[in-house]
Amino acid sequence: MPLASLAMSSSLFSTDQLQTDSQVPLGDLDSGVLATLSHGGVVRHPSWSVQWWIGAEDRWHRPDVEPSTRQRWLKATPVVESVIKIPSGSAVCTTAVARRGGSEFPGVLSEVRNDSPIPVGCARVLASSGAMLADERGLFFEGEQVVSVTRGQLRFAGAESLDALAEMLAKEELSTEPVARRGGVVAVVAPLPHTATAAALVHPVGGGTNAILDRAALPTSDQIVAGWQRHVQAVGRVLPDDPRDSDQVSLATAFTLIEASAEADTTALANSLEALCRIGAWPAHSYRCAELLTELRNRQRLNGSFEGENPLGSTVAAISAMSAAWSAGISYESGATLVGPFAAAHRWSSKKRRFAELAALPHAAATFLAAAGTLEDLGQPEVASTLVATAQSLRVRNGLATASDLATASDLHSAGEAASAASVLLADLRAHVVEDASGLDFWPGFRQDQFGQPCEVHGIATRFGSFSCAIRWHGRRPALLWELDPWNRSVPEETASGSGIPTLRASALDPDWAGSGLRGEALLAEPTRAPESSVSLSPSGGSFS
């Protein structure tokens, strides 16, 4: 059973080095979240935890409490490297989710490498309150193998606590016979020569074979990293100029693919569905996206609202997610089933007694405008007009606020807010591409401090098709290039003729400009909020081919 989606600080995605309080969700594309990884490479399951220790020439080192421990992402993927300093060098643990060849059960691969010139000891430590066993195959909890290890000169130990185990290891009080106990900790200890690597596979959801681990049956860490890079590059994405921002987007994308779960609360479920749809993941992950959409619709109450601690927030999030499903290119027949849920959700959320609360939601007006466009496509202009009217009223109440008022991913980071990967990704997507009833607005979140910075988006799903766009600067003026690949879906003749060719705008850069066409380019006016200092940039061309 996958764990529920985790709320994380958005700073988790914003730096190469992980903070000591980071809780990293562990999972893959099919499993969802299996367990979490905490500081020092500790794999945590609701019933137990597994960690690694290093016995150096001076003492045993525990990465979860060592001041020298550092953790980082490997190439902006959900693969974590934990490093501790020891007197003669360092020890490195790489942690990632992997599957043995032919196995339906994912596991957490933990590989410890000795980067010192002398041999060290490596311990795998299981802590729980249940029945445990340490033997030549690995570590067991309540009769189930939870850690598989490779063959080696193994020794075993058990104690009532981690501190007591550390004392035993310091005194070399190890057994050549298996150790069993209930509660406390047990450990498997093996020598680790210079430059050698010791692999272990942790089994949070079963799949232990009650046998010694065959390392050759598992992918290497480099292969896992390369696999994640391919998955992220296969979907739509924002390509910021700053590599650090690009890494943040890549990580948020990867963790959105991991975390999306029909068991999450309604807002998190809706955000995951919307993010997956907006990055064009529906074709490759159609079963998962359809499951999320079905579960989301099941959360709608008879009065039109959606379940959640904050029903209004959940309902607006659900409307936005249903619009995104249409933008992902689903069939007309599937889209038509959303008309009733759209109308009921709008009627409930826009009632006069809720209007002040609705106006306080930052994305409400943009959500209703996008939904209005979807309803227009589905041949429901009268229902669409009511959503447009609500959106206009919200913007008037908020002082003609626009989509550029949305919180960006960097705003979430600076505020230190807890956020899911999907909400971080959505904040970034909404700052770069926003739909309304008639077209697309590119880079509505443009800020003065971004003057002169290039920006690209590739393969973002919109109701008009898959959209790619870029900004290149010619001196103080931005040049816009775009391409739109329309959806190939049939629409009944008696309804609207489909999404058509959108009006393209760049309201935060040049509010007076508008364009159209499946592809094109335009030189925009100098942004009205451009900084006074001169900018000297060489004109640059570009294309998406």
Side-chain angles (χ1 to χ4, degrees):
M1 184 72 68
L3 301 179
S5 178
L6 299 172
M8 300 167 288
S9 168
S10 58
S11 62
L12 183 67
F13 310 112
S14 63
T15 178
D16 180 52
Q17 297 292 331
L18 276 74
Q19 304 302 311
T20 56
D21 60 350
S22 296
Q23 297 289 324
V24 178
L26 295 171
D28 65 11
L29 296 181
D30 299 316
S31 68
V33 180
L34 305 171
T36 60
L37 186 75
S38 61
H39 183 65
V42 181
V43 178
R44 298 191 180 277
H45 180 273
S47 299
W48 44 261
S49 66
V50 174
Q51 52 189 288
W52 61 286
W53 295 3
I54 291 293
E57 61 268 39
D58 59 338
R59 60 182 175 83
W60 278 90
H61 294 253
R62 294 170 50 183
D64 62 324
V65 296
E66 288 289 334
S68 69
T69 300
R70 298 291 182 270
Q71 293 192 139
R72 69 183 183 101
W73 306 109
L74 287 186
K75 298 182 180 180
T77 67
V79 180
V80 177
E81 182 182 83
S82 306
V83 182
I84 61 167
K85 296 294 184 183
I86 55 178
S88 55
S90 62
V92 181
C93 179
T94 303
T95 308
V97 171
R99 294 176 188 254
R100 285 178 301 206
S103 174
E104 63 177 302
F105 295 100
V108 179
L109 177 62
S110 173
E111 290 195 297
V112 178
R113 185 178 72 248
N114 178 9
D115 278 352
S116 76
I118 64 174
V120 298
C122 178
R124 303 287 183 171
V125 181
L126 172 66
S128 84
S129 59
M132 298 176 292
L133 170 67
D135 68 14
E136 69 278 358
R137 300 165 296 174
L139 301 169
F140 291 74
F141 171 76
E142 300 291 354
E144 295 288 333
Q145 188 177 27
V146 296
V147 180
S148 302
V149 297
T150 52
R151 187 185 303 275
Q153 298 173 333
L154 303 181
R155 297 294 184 269
F156 314 102
E160 62 184 12
S161 68
L162 293 171
D163 290 339
L165 177 65
E167 291 181 10
M168 291 183 64
L169 296 183
K171 297 175 182 178
E172 298 186 1
E173 295 176 353
L174 300 172
S175 172
T176 58
E177 298 296 324
V179 172
R181 64 173 293 123
R182 177 170 288 278
V185 294
V186 294
V188 174
V189 183
L192 189 59
H194 164 57
T195 71
T197 298
L201 189 64
V202 184
H203 308 282
V205 291
T209 60
N210 295 330
I212 294 171
L213 176 64
D214 178 11
R215 178 62 186 87
L218 291 162
T220 66
S221 297
D222 288 343
Q223 288 172 328
I224 297 172
V225 167
W228 273 113
Q229 289 177 322
R230 288 193 296 271
H231 287 307
V232 170
Q233 292 167 5
V235 298
R237 61 199 185 279
V238 176
L239 296 177
D241 184 49
D242 190 329
R244 293 169 300 179
D245 292 340
S246 181
D247 287 350
Q248 177 179 349
V249 172
S250 294
L251 283 166
T253 301
F255 279 106
T256 296
L257 292 168
I258 291 172
E259 288 188 298
S261 170
E263 298 176 10
D265 67 76
T266 302
T267 299
L269 188 159
N271 285 343
S272 293
L273 175 59
E274 180 177 359
L276 290 175
C277 290
R278 294 295 180 193
I279 62 176
W282 189 295
H285 304 274
S286 57
Y287 177 83
R288 195 175 189 186
C289 291
E291 179 187 35
L292 294 176
L293 180 57
T294 298
E295 176 59 26
L296 183 63
R297 291 189 56 186
N298 289 340
R299 304 275 182 95
Q300 190 170 28
R301 300 185 176 108
L302 292 177
N303 63 4
S305 68
F306 282 76
E307 299 172 3
E309 288 188 17
N310 176 3
L312 186 58
S314 298
T315 301
V316 172
I319 293 173
S320 192
M322 291 189 295
S323 295
W326 175 250
S327 295
I330 63 174
S331 68
Y332 177 87
E333 291 74 19
S334 296
T337 66
L338 301 177
V339 172
F342 270 128
H346 172 252
R347 281 196 302 270
W348 181 86
S349 59
S350 61
K351 288 185 180 297
K352 188 174 181 179
R353 64 178 179 273
R354 299 187 184 93
F355 200 76
E357 184 183 356
L358 182 64
L361 296 177
H363 193 53
T367 292
F368 288 132
L369 287 175
T374 297
L375 289 164
E376 286 277 3
D377 292 350
L378 295 170
Q380 301 293 325
E382 293 183 1
V383 182
S385 66
T386 64
L387 273 75
V388 171
T390 300
Q392 291 173 340
S393 298
L394 290 170
R395 288 187 166 176
V396 169
R397 181 186 178 94
N398 289 339
L400 299 177
T402 67
S404 61
D405 295 317
L406 299 173
T408 65
S410 59
D411 294 330
L412 289 174
H413 168 45
S414 62
E417 296 181 13
S420 68
S423 64
V424 172
L425 184 58
L426 280 177
D428 199 53
L429 290 170
R430 290 168 179 169
H432 288 85
V433 180
V434 170
E435 295 184 40
D436 61 24
S438 62
L440 303 172
D441 193 0
F442 178 65
W443 210 357
F446 172 77
R447 304 185 308 270
Q448 186 174 356
D449 64 316
Q450 295 172 315
F451 185 87
Q453 295 182 11
C455 179
E456 292 185 28
V457 299
H458 285 266
I460 304 303
T462 74
R463 48 185 268 260
F464 306 98
S466 179
F467 179 67
S468 299
C469 195
I471 288 290
R472 303 285 186 264
W473 291 82
H474 291 248
R476 298 176 63 85
R477 296 179 65 182
L480 180 68
L481 300 88
W482 74 90
E483 286 186 4
L484 182 68
D485 185 12
W487 301 123
N488 182 22
R489 54 186 170 196
S490 57
V491 178
E493 293 183 2
E494 63 271 17
T495 68
S497 59
S499 304
I501 305 300
T503 298
L504 182 64
R505 295 182 303 282
S507 61
L509 291 163
D510 183 353
D512 295 326
W513 178 82
S516 63
L518 295 181
R519 54 186 48 83
E521 56 185 89
L523 184 62
L524 308 184
E526 178 182 328
T528 56
R529 292 180 292 172
E532 295 181 1
S533 59
S534 62
V535 176
S536 178
L537 296 173
S538 300
S540 56
S543 71
F544 304 102
S545 59

